[in-house]
Amino acid sequence: MERLHNYVAGQWQAGQGDGAVLRDPLSGAALAAVDNTGLDLPAACDWARRTGGAALRALSYAERAALLGRVAEVLQANRDKYYDIALRNSGTVKQDSAVDIEGGIYTLSYYAKLGAGLAERGFRADGPADTLARDGAYQVQHIAVPVRGLALLINAFNFPSWGLWEKAGPALLSGVPIVVKPATATAWLAHAMVADVLAAGVLPAGALTLVCGSSAGLLDALAPGDVLSFTGSSDTAALLRAHPRVARDGVRMNAETDSLNCALLGPDAAEGGAAFDALVREAVREITVKSGQKCTAIRRILVPRAAYARAAEAIAAALADIAVGDPRNPAVRMGSLVSRAQHDDVQAGIQALRAGSEVLFDGGRVQLLDADPAISACVAPWLLGAPDPDAHPLAHDREVFGPLATLMPYRDAGHAYELARRGQGSLVASVYSDDTAFLARSALELADSHGRVHLVSPEAARTHTGHGNVMPQALHGGPGRAGGGEELGGLRALALYHRRAAIQGAPQRLQALA
Ligand code: NAP
């Protein structure tokens, strides 16, 4: 079994304990162990801030963008190895591994290209100067400068690659060194990628630190001026928000947490047609891609009452065609959850939501291919129905992080929006309709409670980028329960890693800033 070391203060270091074991979710076989017991985390963070921060800030935005491009090339050159690790440690079919691996590389490449067009060095101007004195002889210029601290990137288990690089891209482009803490269950892939990037020597010393295993002591090592970028459950986010470094010392925290995302079928599509078909296709895809282990996955499907039975039948029929089991079997279209612990958590969630629902597709009756239900972490897809969604509070509240969605009928558009908002703030809602006015109204009704509103009209049915696909061009994050964070969205992502300041002075002096 491989022991995965940590990269701190410029060297690979082993933890002094036994650590946590990473397993193959199909067989339960031990694959690797991670541990960071005994590491001097405050010294590691101090080294990252001083060495990495200074080296990155000495470069222009475009020069740092070029570094991102080289990181992406290193990852591209090693991608076969990453697919093998994902298969063994995450139990995903190739297409699902690609969402994570290619998604990470694409996002990095996107920021490399975007950053190449930035002409600035040292700071970014935030709008034009504004006059303060009546005669214009005294002005204010707002600027954004990279923080002098580090960015601690804590990631969830479901995206060991994308979760890492979608945070690393904007942070490094901003000039901020990163300390990466992958989720333990799937840390192997993040470890392999970081090891390849370090071996290639494309980043300056101190720009990239890796800590695997327990998170104990990591937040204590933060200091004012650092940034904490977290993805995971809202329970863990609540713990981190209460940590004195965040609550008292002002460490800036961005949180991407869980979400009861919805798909909404327009009243015009109740009788079927292209928008209806698009909703069915997307619901099936979202339930099954990565076995539903996506923070953006559709958890609730809202349809006009008249379409409830038709939608139930169509989605269930498509789910019946999905072969589930060991991704090494070429017939399998949906692999495993990441661990037996997730399997047990998802099964408990299904049982909890089942009470008060009707079962429209029973995943419990599906025969797994080459997977032992008593050992593997495979769970087949489920579709539940809540004929009276107002009376099923749990369906709007419990995120079952697996292949399950609940179909809900609505009375009218107002009722549909009310149901969507019962998710208490979500990452994304998608709307399927051929009615321009309904699409526009839905976007405005849902925008304050959803980070992204994804409109699917028949002419976009084949070209739209997918309800659950997070594109770096578009904002990722959501209000309320989804964490209140903002990631990606092009250059908007750089704001987290910059501080804004108002520089006041005489105009001829302010010009010297550039
Ligand atoms: P989690 O249990 O909250 O863990 C997330 C990360 O936090 C892991 O790296 C974990 O490390 C670390 N962690 C746990 N306790 C900590 C503590 N006290 N201090 C510092 N770090 C701590 O979440 P998960 O089970 O990995 O991921 C599933 C959840 O993430 C789901 O709810 C999903 O919706 C959400 N998610 C959200 C997004 C998004 O972009 N909004 C994306 C993906 C996933 P260990 O692994 O070592 O415990």
Side-chain angles (χ1 to χ4, degrees):
M1 182 172 61
E2 200 173 336
R3 277 188 73 86
L4 306 179
H5 293 172
N6 310 279
Y7 189 79
V8 292
Q11 38 185 309
W12 287 103
Q13 291 187 27
Q16 290 158 9
D18 293 335
V21 174
L22 281 58
R23 296 185 182 277
D24 182 323
L26 272 301
S27 65
L31 299 170
V34 290
D35 180 51
N36 60 47
T37 315
L39 294 194
D40 187 345
L41 295 174
C45 288
D46 188 47
W47 186 79
R49 271 180 220 111
R50 278 187 298 108
T51 313
L56 288 168
R57 285 195 306 275
L59 304 174
S60 67
Y61 287 89
E63 286 166 338
R64 292 193 293 264
L67 295 184
L68 296 186
R70 293 177 65 194
V71 172
E73 280 166 21
V74 171
L75 300 177
Q76 269 156 359
N78 289 284
R79 49 155 66 97
D80 289 350
K81 177 172 61 184
Y82 307 146
Y83 277 94
D84 183 52
I85 293 174
L87 172 69
R88 294 170 67 191
N89 191 194
S90 291
T92 35
V93 295
K94 187 163 187 190
Q95 223 174 323
D96 289 355
S97 304
V99 176
D100 186 32
I101 295 167
E102 306 300 337
I105 295 173
Y106 172 72
T107 302
L108 258 185
S109 307
Y110 168 80
Y111 275 100
K113 218 180 244 176
L114 198 62
L118 297 179
E120 302 102 318
R121 178 183 285 272
F123 75 97
R124 305 196 64 222
D126 178 11
D130 204 352
T131 186
L132 294 175
R134 220 182 272 164
D135 61 1
Y138 201 67
Q139 293 186 337
V140 58
Q141 170 69 59
H142 286 89
I143 64 169
V145 290
V147 300
R148 273 176 193 256
L150 56 79
L152 172 59
L153 313 182
I154 299 184
N155 285 317
F157 66 78
N158 57 331
F159 279 111
S161 163
W162 175 80
L164 158 55
W165 299 115
E166 61 102 17
K167 287 180 164 59
L172 291 170
L173 180 58
S174 297
V176 178
I178 57 175
V179 175
V180 175
K181 153 68 182 102
T184 295
T186 55
W188 191 11
L189 178 55
H191 184 279
M193 291 178 139
V194 166
D196 288 335
V197 170
L198 289 168
V202 294
L203 290 176
L208 177 52
T209 296
L210 175 71
V211 178
C212 295
S214 163
S215 51
L218 257 180
L219 263 81
D220 299 323
L222 294 182
D226 289 342
V227 174
L228 169 59
S229 185
F230 169 79
T231 297
S233 62
S234 35
D235 288 347
T236 307
L239 272 180
L240 302 189
R241 280 196 185 98
H243 190 281
R245 291 292 171 275
V246 179
R248 191 191 61 202
D249 300 339
V251 165
R252 184 188 279 171
M253 176 172 165
N254 188 77
E256 300 292 338
T257 60
D258 44 43
S259 185
L260 275 291
N261 314 295
C262 64
L264 167 58
L265 183 70
D268 60 299
E271 302 301 323
F276 178 91
D277 294 345
L279 170 113
V280 169
R281 222 172 15 248
E282 204 57 10
V284 171
R285 185 154 66 171
E286 289 293 315
I287 293 169
T288 55
V289 168
K290 287 178 72 63
S291 299
Q293 299 169 109
K294 270 173 41 247
C295 53
T296 50
I298 295 171
R299 307 290 179 201
R300 301 174 298 151
I301 306 164
L302 313 177
V303 297
R305 183 158 285 156
Y308 180 75
R310 187 177 295 111
E313 201 180 308
I315 296 169
L319 291 177
D321 285 342
I322 307 281
V324 186
D326 190 333
R328 293 160 187 89
N329 182 326
V332 164
R333 282 180 53 203
M334 189 175 107
S336 172
L337 298 178
V338 296
S339 65
R340 196 67 192 175
Q342 278 307 306
H343 168 278
D344 295 349
D345 194 51
V346 166
Q347 293 289 13
I350 292 169
Q351 293 317 317
L353 286 195
R354 246 185 114 149
S357 305
E358 47 190 27
V359 176
L360 302 175
F361 184 80
D362 184 346
R365 293 174 181 271
V366 172
Q367 288 286 326
L368 303 178
L369 287 185
D370 298 347
D372 182 342
I375 295 173
S376 83
C378 291
V379 175
W382 283 76
L383 181 67
L384 299 178
D388 182 2
D390 296 314
H392 197 340
L394 208 58
H396 306 284
D397 188 55
R398 179 144 178 184
E399 183 202 45
V400 178
F401 209 56
L404 167 81
T406 305
L407 184 68
M408 304 176 178
Y410 67 78
R411 291 186 300 275
D412 51 34
H415 186 218
Y417 302 141
E418 215 175 279
L419 291 171
R421 289 189 201 106
R422 285 190 68 176
Q424 307 145 68
S426 304
L427 294 169
V428 50
S430 52
V431 188
Y432 306 78
S433 170
D434 195 11
D435 177 345
T436 306
F438 178 76
L439 289 166
R441 180 179 168 209
S442 300
L444 296 180
E445 286 281 350
L446 299 176
D448 74 304
S449 52
H450 294 75
R452 183 160 59 84
V453 182
H454 182 80
L455 307 179
V456 183
S457 44
E459 73 280 9
R462 295 282 162 195
T463 50
H464 76 98
T465 48
H467 163 106
N469 274 353
V470 176
M471 304 300 290
Q473 297 85 343
L475 181 78
H476 174 58
R481 158 165 200 169
E486 291 193 355
E487 287 182 333
L488 302 172
L491 290 175
R492 291 171 190 85
L494 274 54
L496 178 62
Y497 305 101
H498 283 73
R499 290 294 321 179
R500 193 168 17 220
I503 312 296
Q504 302 178 180
Q508 62 274 31
R509 309 292 176 171
L510 291 182
Q511 276 162 19
L513 286 172

